[in-house]
Each structure stands twice: as C-alpha cells, then as structure tokens.
Amino acid sequence: MLDDLEDLLDDLNDTLGTPLHDNIPPRKPGTSVTNSRQPVKPAPAPPRASETATSSRYSSGAGASKSSLDDLLSDLDDIMPGENKNPVKQEAPAARPSYTKQTSNLQNKAIEASEKGARRVKCSSVFLGGSHVKQGCAGLQKLCCNKLRCLQCDLMVVSFDNKKWTPDVDYMFFRNAYPNEYELGRKMRPQANTRAYACQCTWTTQTDLTVLGMHSQFRWVCRGHD
C-alpha cells in the first residue's frame, strides 16, 4: 500500500513539476500511516496574574495565620459579586389620605349635583313678564323663566307676583334686604298683572312679556330647569 502511495506521488510530481513528497515528513520504520497522525493537545492557558498572586500569597499551608485568612476572605468579597454593603435607604411611601365617611358623603353629593346639573334644560330665550304669564322653561312656548341667575352678583333672582317696586328703591336697599322677603316687602306695593324681579344689584317691575337679549341691561341668565 505504501508503494502504491509513493508511485501516485511520483506521478503527481511528474505532472505538476513540484515534488509533493518532499513536504511529507519521513516515516519511522515499523510505523503505519494511520498511526502517524496523533491529535495535538492544546497548550494549557497560562494562569492569571490575580490567581498567581493570590495562590502565592496564601500558600502557607495549615499554619496560616488568622490575618491571612481575613485577607483571603476580603479578596473573595472583592472578586465575587455580593450585596451592597451600604444600601441606599429608600424613603417610605407617603401615607395615603384617610377618607372618612363624611368625605365620602360630600363626594357622593358632588357627583349627584353634577349629574343633576347635566340633566338640566335651559330656556331657548329668557323672558320676563307679568303675573298673567306662566313661569317655566321657555321652549316652543313662551314662558317667564323662574330660574334666573345674575352674572354680576352671582345670586339667584327672586320674583313676586302682583307686586311692584316703589320709585324710591336703590342699590343699598337691595344690598341689605336681599333675599329676605319681609325686608323686601317694605318697598313693594300691590299691583295686578305685574311681577317684581330683583337680585342683590338689579331690580325691575314687568307687566308685558319681555325677552332679555344680548344688549339687555340685565345680566340675568337661565341656570337650567330640572
């Protein structure tokens, strides 16, 4: 078999003109081709500097002192990941406000009031009139609004049927007397088919149906009907 291999190499040498068998190392006598190729073992990696320093530092055997043991444990703490020795103190979460029963009732009332306000219907046009004109929400039917609110003093408007204001009423009178009906009655006189209106800053006596437009002297608007 070896003779055949050498003949084959010679033929290749003649063809290529390059002696291939010169690169093949000489074979020792008494060995076969199959055993000539041995697996090459990788060279062991050189020890790390830290391991060499640690092993040389603490290789005193059974007679190692207590300080050497402490140094070894210290090095192990530095090498191995551990817990933070100085953990950051976390602040306690802020205490939630305690909701009492009274607070819950106030919230429920506020929700009910907002829902109730959402269902209110406002007048399409705001009308004032005498006592012979019905009061209510003006829509298809012209009614005198009885849910008026003043935008200037931010108070509700009161009205009195078959009453009129005396000519000597003034701002300070309504400032002090509103909304006491008894005090207001001191400046009212009976009059058929009339209606006296007043808030804390404005007043009027109406007989005919009147609409409050954009340019009206009254800052009264409909706050909505239930």
Side-chain angles (χ1 to χ4, degrees):
M1 179 178 181
L2 294 177
D3 295 337
D4 295 337
L5 181 58
E6 290 178 355
D7 294 339
L8 181 60
L9 293 176
D10 291 337
D11 294 339
L12 289 175
N13 291 338
D14 296 338
T15 304
L16 300 176
T18 303
L20 297 178
H21 63 276
D22 292 343
N23 297 328
I24 300 177
R27 181 174 54 86
K28 295 181 180 181
T31 59
S32 61
V33 176
T34 55
N35 296 331
S36 61
R37 295 182 181 179
Q38 298 295 334
V40 180
K41 296 181 179 181
R48 292 183 295 181
S50 59
E51 296 177 356
T52 305
T54 304
S55 60
S56 62
R57 183 178 178 183
Y58 305 104
S59 60
S60 57
S65 62
K66 184 179 180 180
S67 60
S68 299
L69 181 60
D70 293 339
D71 293 339
L72 177 59
L73 294 177
S74 178
D75 288 346
L76 289 176
D77 290 339
D78 294 338
I79 296 174
M80 299 180 63
E83 296 182 355
N84 190 1
K85 296 180 181 179
N86 298 320
V88 179
K89 294 182 180 180
Q90 297 182 355
E91 296 182 358
R96 295 183 179 179
S98 58
Y99 293 95
T100 61
K101 186 176 180 180
Q102 183 178 3
T103 305
S104 179
N105 292 336
L106 292 176
Q107 291 178 347
N108 293 335
K109 289 181 180 179
I111 294 174
E112 292 177 0
S114 62
E115 292 178 352
K116 188 176 181 180
R119 294 193 297 267
R120 289 177 177 172
V121 180
K122 294 185 178 181
C123 296
S124 58
S125 298
V126 179
F127 292 96
L128 303 179
S131 59
H132 61 283
V133 181
K134 293 182 179 181
Q135 291 181 315
C137 182
L140 297 177
Q141 187 178 1
K142 294 181 180 181
L143 302 176
C144 293
C145 181
N146 58 345
K147 298 293 183 180
L148 294 172
R149 189 178 191 90
C150 180
L151 297 179
Q152 187 169 348
C153 63
D154 197 25
L155 293 173
M156 296 298 298
V157 178
V158 295
S159 62
F160 305 95
D161 289 349
N162 299 316
K163 299 287 183 178
K164 69 175 182 177
W165 300 112
T166 60
D168 60 339
V169 293
D170 56 9
Y171 170 79
M172 291 305 300
F173 168 75
F174 290 102
R175 181 78 176 178
N176 296 323
Y178 175 92
N180 192 318
E181 183 177 357
Y182 175 78
E183 294 293 334
L184 292 173
R186 296 169 58 183
K187 295 292 183 179
M188 285 190 293
R189 299 291 182 267
Q191 178 84 29
N193 295 327
T194 60
R195 181 176 288 132
Y197 293 88
C199 61
Q200 200 176 33
C201 63
T202 312
W203 63 96
T204 185
T205 300
Q206 295 291 329
T207 302
D208 299 328
L209 187 66
T210 305
V211 59
L212 298 182
M214 295 293 295
H215 302 287
S216 174
Q217 61 176 338
F218 302 101
R219 301 290 303 279
W220 295 346
V221 295
C222 177
R223 64 181 293 269
H225 300 261
D226 297 334

